[in-house]
Amino acid sequence: MTIERKIREHLHKEAETMECPPAISKRVEQSYSQYLQRKRSEITMKKRLIGGIVAAAILIPTAAFAAPTLIEMLTRTPMTAEQVKVDEIGKATLEKLYRAFPETKSFEIIDASNVQGVQTSIILQEKGGIGKKITLHTNGITSAIEHVIQENWEPKEKSLTALTDQEIKSKVDYLINKMYGNIKEYEFAMEQMENPDQKTFMLNYTKKGSKTPFYQVFVQGNTISVSLIGGETTPSNVKVEGLFSTNGKPDYFADAYLNDAKLFALLKISPTELKQELAKGKSVVEIAASKNVSKQQVIDVIAKTQVDAQIQGENNGDVPKSNLSNEQLLKAIEPKVLQVIEHKTETPSKK
């Protein structure tokens, strides 16, 4: 284990015991992202939704994850508006936004940052500090915009959640179509979340045959938060689904990663046994440790399977070619794998 990894793990443990100051909590709420979100909310659904929007193919975890630990906030490097405009990823992100919503060309960049060259985040708002706001989280390796948060684009007197289900879907469809392209081929599901603090809807857009949503969206107040997941189909030879659960319901976000025959062989465990262990509140990392298997071994196995599938999909023409080397693809997928294997299913508190 490198000294950097030892230091990082030690700081993570220390951070978990710290109480987050209100100022930093507010910043977390405004800039949650696929790379930083790891810890699950332990108090309210509101906190879970603030940091836990299901996200994106490489870096963003899923609805099961909540706001980042304090130490992870320190890994972000602030960027000025001028730096964003000359940065390769920042410039490309702005160009995509401007094509989708030309009106945003007049918006001000009010905040921007970079996470170790892996993710670039940009927040823009109408001049004057009020009104429309949009946040973009872009994968620094693949250049994919993995997370879009649109705030205050509707009149204040009528929040999005006051609209009919069809009207909400139309608003979300419009945002996804503008940022990502036509979604007519996707199957759609919508449900209201159990959130006593604020009315919240979750919308899933899934390709036929896939267990993981391609896009997952949360609508709350006057905010639409879209995460690009790029759902994969659960392997046909693996029948266990919903390895994790959220609010007592199967949560399929990790299935495409953990339904891996090589992982089961490494851990010397069956899919059903893995699901049973996860249901006890253990993480894959903890299960592996109990079998004398290191975290890095688990990451390597899952990452290789995912990259092999990506390359095969590119060769078959099922997905666009990324023009990335095998090493680059492995580097890009590792943070997402880490999110999955460190996650734990919340277990009911014992009174």
Side-chain angles (χ1 to χ4, degrees):
M1 181 184 291
T2 65
I3 185 64
E4 290 84 2
R5 185 178 290 273
K6 287 181 179 179
I7 292 173
R8 181 176 176 80
E9 291 189 357
H10 173 73
L11 290 174
H12 272 300
K13 290 179 181 178
E14 291 297 316
E16 289 174 4
T17 66
M18 300 171 67
E19 184 173 350
C20 186
I24 295 182
S25 293
K26 184 61 178 179
R27 183 180 174 187
V28 170
E29 293 177 13
Q30 295 175 338
S31 62
Y32 54 89
S33 70
Q34 103 140 276
Y35 179 73
L36 298 178
Q37 298 160 325
R38 288 191 180 177
K39 290 297 176 183
R40 193 172 168 80
S41 173
E42 297 177 353
I43 304 176
T44 65
M45 173 58 79
K46 180 178 180 181
K47 290 186 179 179
R48 183 176 297 118
L49 291 171
I50 284 173
I53 308 305
V54 170
I58 301 294
L59 302 176
I60 308 263
T62 74
F65 297 103
T69 55
L70 275 175
I71 188 61
E72 288 174 315
M73 293 297 297
L74 303 179
T75 65
R76 278 197 173 274
T77 302
M79 300 174 68
T80 65
E82 290 70 26
Q83 288 174 323
V84 171
K85 293 174 182 177
V86 297
D87 177 75
E88 183 178 349
I89 297 298
K91 184 178 179 181
T93 300
L94 290 176
E95 288 176 351
K96 292 176 184 177
L97 173 64
Y98 295 157
R99 284 197 300 270
F101 297 99
E103 65 190 283
T104 58
K105 291 181 181 180
S106 64
F107 285 21
E108 295 178 311
I109 297 175
I110 62 172
D111 192 16
S113 59
N114 179 275
V115 181
Q116 300 174 344
V118 180
Q119 184 191 77
T120 296
S121 299
I122 307 171
I123 303 177
L124 302 94
Q125 188 171 37
E126 283 185 311
K127 291 182 179 180
I130 58 174
K132 296 180 179 179
K133 180 189 293 187
I134 192 161
T135 300
L136 308 164
H137 296 296
T138 303
N139 188 309
I141 298 172
T142 66
S143 299
I145 298 177
E146 299 172 323
H147 198 183
V148 180
I149 309 167
Q150 192 183 68
E151 302 175 69
N152 303 325
W153 285 55
E154 297 298 319
K156 289 185 178 180
E157 57 271 15
K158 188 175 184 180
S159 68
L160 287 164
T161 50
L163 303 176
T164 65
D165 288 1
Q166 185 55 49
E167 288 172 331
I168 292 174
K169 180 179 183 300
S170 295
K171 299 288 184 182
V172 174
D173 286 355
Y174 183 75
L175 176 56
I176 295 177
N177 280 327
K178 284 290 186 178
M179 293 300 301
Y180 297 106
N182 198 297
I183 57 171
K184 289 183 178 179
E185 63 183 276
Y186 296 93
E187 297 178 335
F188 168 79
M190 178 177 179
E191 64 176 297
Q192 185 172 345
M193 302 296 289
E194 297 177 4
N195 180 9
D197 298 306
Q198 190 171 8
K199 192 174 183 180
T200 304
F201 291 95
M202 178 176 71
L203 296 82
N204 288 322
Y205 293 78
T206 308
K207 283 188 174 181
K208 292 183 178 180
S210 176
K211 294 297 182 182
T212 306
F214 201 90
Y215 302 103
Q216 187 163 59
V217 186
F218 283 86
V219 177
Q220 184 182 67
N222 243 340
T223 299
I224 299 175
S225 186
V226 178
S227 292
L228 167 66
I229 302 173
E232 299 87 356
T233 302
T234 301
S236 58
N237 62 325
V238 179
K239 303 301 181 183
V240 174
E241 300 174 357
L243 288 161
F244 285 113
S245 62
T246 300
N247 296 332
K249 298 180 180 179
D251 187 342
Y252 300 109
F253 77 92
D255 286 6
Y257 287 83
L258 299 184
N259 273 319
D260 186 330
K262 293 181 180 178
L263 173 65
F264 299 141
L266 176 67
L267 299 180
K268 296 179 181 179
I269 194 172
S270 72
T272 300
E273 289 171 333
L274 177 60
K275 184 173 182 177
Q276 291 171 343
E277 290 299 300
L278 293 173
K280 296 176 183 178
K282 299 179 182 179
S283 68
V284 176
V285 171
E286 291 173 337
I287 296 170
S290 70
K291 297 176 178 292
N292 297 316
V293 176
S294 71
K295 179 192 296 186
Q296 193 59 49
Q297 285 177 290
V298 174
I299 292 174
D300 292 343
V301 164
I302 298 175
K304 187 177 186 306
T305 297
Q306 293 298 316
V307 168
D308 287 347
Q310 169 74 16
I311 293 174
Q312 182 178 351
E314 291 181 6
N315 292 336
N316 294 339
D318 297 330
V319 296
K321 286 189 174 295
S322 63
N323 296 319
L324 298 176
S325 68
N326 190 76
E327 183 179 346
Q328 289 174 315
L329 288 171
L330 287 170
K331 180 181 178 183
I333 198 69
E334 184 170 319
K336 179 63 181 293
V337 175
L338 189 62
Q339 305 283 356
V340 171
I341 66 175
E342 290 187 335
H343 174 62
K344 297 180 182 181
T345 288
E346 285 188 358
T347 55
S349 58
K350 295 181 180 180
K351 297 182 179 180

